[in-house]
Amino acid sequence: MRVGVLTGGGDCPGLNAVIRASVRRGISDYGYEFVGFRDGWRGPLEGVTMPLDIAAVRGILPRGGTILGSSRTNPIKVEGGIERIERNLKDLGIDALIAIGGEDTLGVATKLTEHGFHVVGVPKTIDNDLSATDYTFGFDTAVTIATEAIDRLHTTAESHHRILICEVMGRHAGWIALHAGMAGGANGILIPEVPFDMDEVVGWVESRFKASYAPIICVSEGALPAGGNLVTKDQTLDAFGHVKLSGIGEWLATEIEARTGYEARTTVLGHIQRGGTPTPFDRVLATRFGLNAIEAVKDGDWGKMVALSGTDIVRVPLEAATGVLKTVPIERYVEASAFFG
Ligand code: F6P
């Protein structure tokens, strides 16, 4: 059996742990051969591969990024893209493909499955917004990094009696802001699911200063003011139709300063949340996903995605992962709001 592996979309700490686990078990226990596809769907689309054997995966468990490279190439947007992939996979003698990615990458995997190709999916995103899995690897690492940043912002905010805003990733779902904000004791958390009321945010800031502390606001890049628009960097779209986010933190600082007279500054964590070594939780989850993905290949369980359910790894239909996004339920936001202001 020849198994292709690819990693698509925004990278995520833990991708290498998945690759290592699938390759190690696949070769040692089942005698499979592996082919690494470069840069997400660009690999199968253009037939760009790299060797993927035991030597290639040695030492990569703690390494961030992906040894295969990643991209947001969308073959569905390319004329005859799916047919080209099918031809290349056939020419390379690929019997099965493990696609590691988020909603976009797995959406393409679902399409390939409909065309009869043998695909197994592995969910990944630091945003933790994929349905059908309780957690995705990369999320714990991002939250750990953002929490440490908030801890550091507290002390400098208090020294200078200013408001510090921490902008974190989270395009459609506020999981990173919710968890890092709770863990870091932020005085306000703003997420895409709950458009915020500027008067309320000003109220939190003022009450925090009254208590002789300096306010910290943790905001998702996708958060937006009630009745207002998403703040974007520019209007250019990637191949999956996403705009570049970031800017809400700066917007908030300007508004808060204008309304309260207190100085406000913003720290945008950006790609720092996605880079570097995965936490132990993410290494274990990614490793278990990798081991279970190769089991699904062995069982011929095509069109499935491995997922975390409680503490078990289960298999779910690929389309269950990509159909609806897993957003923050309002009860979770209300729970966190006990500490706002
Ligand atoms: O989808 C994951 C994510 O990290 C989002 O939170 C963020 O908006 C996006 O990727 C940024 O992606 P890139 O840096 O690849 O444009």
Side-chain angles (χ1 to χ4, degrees), residues 189-255:
I189 298 172
L190 306 177
I191 62 174
E193 293 85 341
V194 186
F196 59 87
D197 174 357
M198 210 45 226
D199 292 336
E200 199 175 14
V201 175
V202 165
W204 297 338
V205 163
E206 282 170 345
S207 88
R208 187 70 180 167
F209 274 124
K210 274 197 203 113
S212 305
Y213 284 106
I216 305 287
I217 307 288
C218 183
V219 58
S220 299
E221 59 183 0
L224 71 167
N229 294 321
L230 202 62
V231 179
T232 55
K233 268 199 175 142
D234 58 53
Q235 292 305 313
T236 50
L237 303 180
D238 69 18
F240 284 92
H242 306 303
V243 285
K244 282 192 200 123
L245 294 183
S246 180
I248 186 67
E250 276 307 327
W251 183 91
L252 264 176
T254 312
E255 279 296 302

Side-chain angles (χ1 to χ4, degrees), residues 9-11 72 124-127 169-171 176 221 238 244-245 271 274:
D11 72 346
R72 294 192 189 272
K124 94 49 266 189
T125 165
I126 65 163
D127 291 0
M169 280 187 172
R171 189 177 277 280
I176 299 177
E221 59 183 0
D238 69 18
K244 282 192 200 123
L245 294 183
H271 294 89
R274 279 206 337 222

Side-chain angles (χ1 to χ4, degrees), residues 58-273:
R58 209 162 269 145
I60 65 170
L61 172 64
R63 250 175 70 192
T66 158
I67 58 165
L68 297 175
S70 194
S71 75
R72 294 192 189 272
T73 303
N74 183 357
I76 295 171
K77 287 265 175 72
V78 177
E79 177 83 28
I82 295 289
E83 292 70 25
R84 256 167 75 187
I85 290 181
E86 284 182 314
R87 210 175 317 120
N88 285 334
L89 293 178
K90 200 157 170 248
D91 291 351
L92 288 160
I94 304 295
D95 303 299
L97 187 65
I98 298 180
I100 312 168
E103 52 159 336
D104 298 330
T105 306
L106 297 181
V108 177
T110 310
K111 262 256 140 21
L112 270 183
T113 305
E114 287 161 11
H115 282 238
F117 204 79
H118 298 164
V119 188
V120 167
V122 175
K124 94 49 266 189
T125 165
I126 65 163
D127 291 0
N128 198 39
D129 59 358
L130 282 183
S131 297
T133 183
D134 287 351
Y135 284 98
T136 44
F137 60 87
F139 173 64
D140 186 63
T141 305
V143 168
T144 302
I145 293 165
T147 302
E148 195 202 323
I150 294 173
D151 287 347
R152 288 172 188 281
L153 291 176
H154 273 293
T155 60
T156 173
E158 280 164 26
S159 305
H160 290 269
H161 318 289
R162 45 165 84 118
I163 301 125
L164 289 181
I165 295 158
C166 182
E167 184 188 295
V168 298
M169 280 187 172
R171 189 177 277 280
H172 308 291
W175 290 108
I176 299 177
L178 183 82
H179 280 228
M182 269 184 109
N187 312 108
I189 298 172
L190 306 177
I191 62 174
E193 293 85 341
V194 186
F196 59 87
D197 174 357
M198 210 45 226
D199 292 336
E200 199 175 14
V201 175
V202 165
W204 297 338
V205 163
E206 282 170 345
S207 88
R208 187 70 180 167
F209 274 124
K210 274 197 203 113
S212 305
Y213 284 106
I216 305 287
I217 307 288
C218 183
V219 58
S220 299
E221 59 183 0
L224 71 167
N229 294 321
L230 202 62
V231 179
T232 55
K233 268 199 175 142
D234 58 53
Q235 292 305 313
T236 50
L237 303 180
D238 69 18
F240 284 92
H242 306 303
V243 285
K244 282 192 200 123
L245 294 183
S246 180
I248 186 67
E250 276 307 327
W251 183 91
L252 264 176
T254 312
E255 279 296 302
I256 293 174
E257 270 193 8
R259 288 180 184 226
T260 65
Y262 286 109
E263 188 187 7
R265 300 276 187 92
T266 297
T267 299
V268 180
L269 294 185
H271 294 89
I272 288 171
Q273 294 159 97

